[in-house]
Amino acid sequence: MKLRHVIQNGIRSFSTGRIVFSRFRSATTPTLKEIGLLLPSTNAAPFEAGQIFIHRTFAYKGVVVCSFPCRLHEKRSQQNSENFSEKHLTTRDFYQVLIHRHDWSHMGFPVDITSYLVDAPMENKRHGQKMLTLINGMDCVSHEDIIPFTPAGGVNFDHDLFDHIFNAAHDGSGLYNVAMKPELVERYTNSNRSWLGPRDVYRERTENIEVTVMTFYLGANMVGGQQQHMWRYVIRIENKKPEQGVILRERTLKVYSLNNMNQMHGHGVVGKQPELNAATPAFQFSSTLELKHTKGGHMWGRFKMERENGVLFDVHIPTIVFESTEEINETPIAAPDAA
């Protein structure tokens, strides 16, 4: 099946059928361009490094870098049911991916949600201090997020790390195959790279608003002369009935660690009050957390949402556990000499 992708700022949805209908923030007639062939999706095995795909929710074009099996803690809330707070634990495949630069402006979330720790300059290194480094255009996605396809007419994938990590070859039929460079395969399949692989994923739905939280252990760092353990978490909020739009007005997060309780409250998230509607059904953001101990950390909270009629309601953020005793590999994801 041929896959057509809409090339225009403001894309929020797409179709993979014979007829393509896409919603835009403007009324301008969309420009259609054939970009490749759809591949059959499968739940049986993880996608390989180099697989090009379209994100099912955020509609960006991405490429798989590496995969990780991860525990998914899911709380399925069903009103008027005796299983109102039933919890499920499964193992799912999650992927670190690169995002095509052209899609950064309309993918619906900040471009710098991925971070990791690296050694500080020599003058600070002796104190054990490390620096938090950001990677633009990188995301962690679930197996269900991926719609795989094979590019046609050239890869044309724009990301600073793409050529460092992948080889792209023409197969003689107008399609391109993308594969990780052989010398990098072991580096990206190293199970100790915990800043790449999510430790746990938590998911809970309240009144058709689904909240998913992914946690990543970044390692130990010296902060103000004291050792701290740093975590990164990514929170994704998705409106499962986007025709009934809502606005995220407030957030409240509580962090508990060894008899200490801290509360964070503010308007919106990352300086925004995102609207979750048919044009932008989901939003995600990332933050970091420093804890003195590797065990005993918990976080939970709520988002206050507003419906189109002005009614306010609370959406639960699932209870998240921050625990790790593992050493991690802090090698940068793409060294300049990787090409």
Side-chain angles (χ1 to χ4, degrees):
M1 180 185 297
K2 291 184 178 180
L3 175 65
R4 292 179 172 84
H5 183 53
V6 179
I7 309 300
Q8 179 159 335
N9 291 336
I11 180 175
R12 298 311 324 152
S13 66
F14 58 91
S15 171
T16 56
R18 289 177 296 175
I19 301 175
V20 179
F21 294 102
S22 297
R23 298 185 182 93
F24 293 88
R25 293 175 182 174
S26 68
T28 306
T29 302
T31 300
L32 303 181
K33 181 181 179 181
E34 182 180 309
I35 64 172
L37 298 177
L38 273 179
L39 299 177
S41 297
T42 174
N43 294 322
F47 295 109
E48 295 183 357
Q51 177 62 62
I52 303 291
F53 68 93
I54 296 292
H55 195 287
R56 189 177 301 275
T57 300
F58 291 113
Y60 64 68
K61 183 166 68 174
V63 59
V64 170
V65 175
C66 48
S67 63
F68 301 88
C70 182
R71 293 175 299 187
L72 172 63
H73 308 258
E74 192 168 12
K75 186 175 181 181
R76 301 175 182 175
S77 301
Q78 298 179 355
Q79 292 183 347
N80 302 322
S81 169
E82 61 183 3
N83 297 324
F84 178 76
S85 60
E86 184 179 6
K87 296 182 180 180
H88 295 261
L89 176 62
T90 56
T91 299
R92 303 282 183 86
D93 289 316
F94 283 78
Y95 305 84
Q96 281 291 351
V97 305
L98 302 181
I99 305 170
H100 180 45
R101 189 186 305 273
H102 176 80
D103 298 333
W104 291 5
S105 62
H106 65 250
M107 63 189 180
F109 59 89
V111 71
D112 57 352
I113 66 170
T114 302
S115 59
Y116 62 100
L117 289 173
V118 297
D119 287 337
M122 291 301 298
E123 60 269 21
N124 295 321
K125 187 175 181 180
R126 65 179 180 272
H127 301 297
Q129 182 179 344
K130 297 177 181 179
M131 297 190 306
L132 193 66
T133 300
L134 299 174
I135 300 177
N136 288 331
M138 194 172 194
D139 192 11
C140 186
V141 304
S142 70
H143 191 89
E144 294 75 18
D145 288 330
I146 290 178
I147 301 176
F149 75 97
T150 298
V155 176
N156 295 323
F157 196 96
D158 186 6
H159 193 286
D160 292 340
L161 301 180
F162 184 81
D163 290 334
H164 288 300
I165 299 176
F166 297 106
N167 291 322
H170 192 281
D171 68 358
S173 64
L175 300 179
Y176 278 74
N177 294 319
V178 180
M180 180 173 286
K181 294 183 177 183
E183 65 271 22
L184 299 181
V185 172
E186 184 176 356
R187 174 185 295 185
Y188 290 106
T189 56
N190 188 336
S191 60
N192 290 330
R193 298 176 66 84
S194 68
W195 69 268
L196 274 177
R199 176 52 49 90
D200 285 279
V201 179
Y202 302 85
R203 181 175 293 159
E204 184 173 350
R205 187 182 299 188
T206 307
E207 298 193 39
N208 299 313
I209 308 299
E210 185 174 86
V211 177
T212 302
V213 185
M214 294 178 283
T215 62
F216 302 82
Y217 179 60
L218 304 188
N221 193 15
M222 295 300 294
V223 180
Q226 295 185 341
Q227 186 182 67
Q228 300 281 349
H229 294 273
M230 181 168 285
W231 292 80
R232 177 171 68 92
Y233 59 88
V234 178
I235 299 182
R236 173 172 161 179
I237 314 107
E238 181 175 359
N239 187 353
K240 290 298 185 176
K241 286 191 175 181
E243 66 277 8
Q244 300 174 5
V246 298
I247 300 175
L248 196 165
R249 291 300 189 191
E250 297 179 7
R251 75 187 185 282
T252 299
L253 286 172
K254 296 181 179 181
V255 178
Y256 175 86
S257 178
L258 295 181
N259 297 323
N260 291 320
M261 175 77 77
N262 292 307
Q263 179 169 306
M264 297 169 283
H265 179 81
H267 295 287
V269 289
V270 294
K272 299 181 179 180
Q273 293 185 328
E275 298 183 30
L276 308 180
N277 51 35
T280 56
F283 183 82
Q284 65 180 8
F285 65 97
S286 178
S287 188
T288 56
L289 182 68
E290 296 173 351
L291 299 174
K292 290 184 178 181
H293 303 277
T294 58
K295 291 189 175 182
H298 292 75
M299 185 176 76
W300 67 95
R302 62 177 175 80
F303 293 116
K304 186 169 291 294
M305 316 295 290
E306 181 181 350
R307 303 186 192 279
E308 293 177 340
N309 60 5
V311 173
L312 299 174
F313 66 101
D314 289 338
V315 171
H316 301 294
I317 299 173
T319 300
I320 304 146
V321 178
F322 296 102
E323 290 191 351
S324 177
T325 58
E326 298 179 10
E327 295 296 326
I328 68 170
N329 183 339
E330 296 161 353
T331 306
I333 186 169
D337 59 357

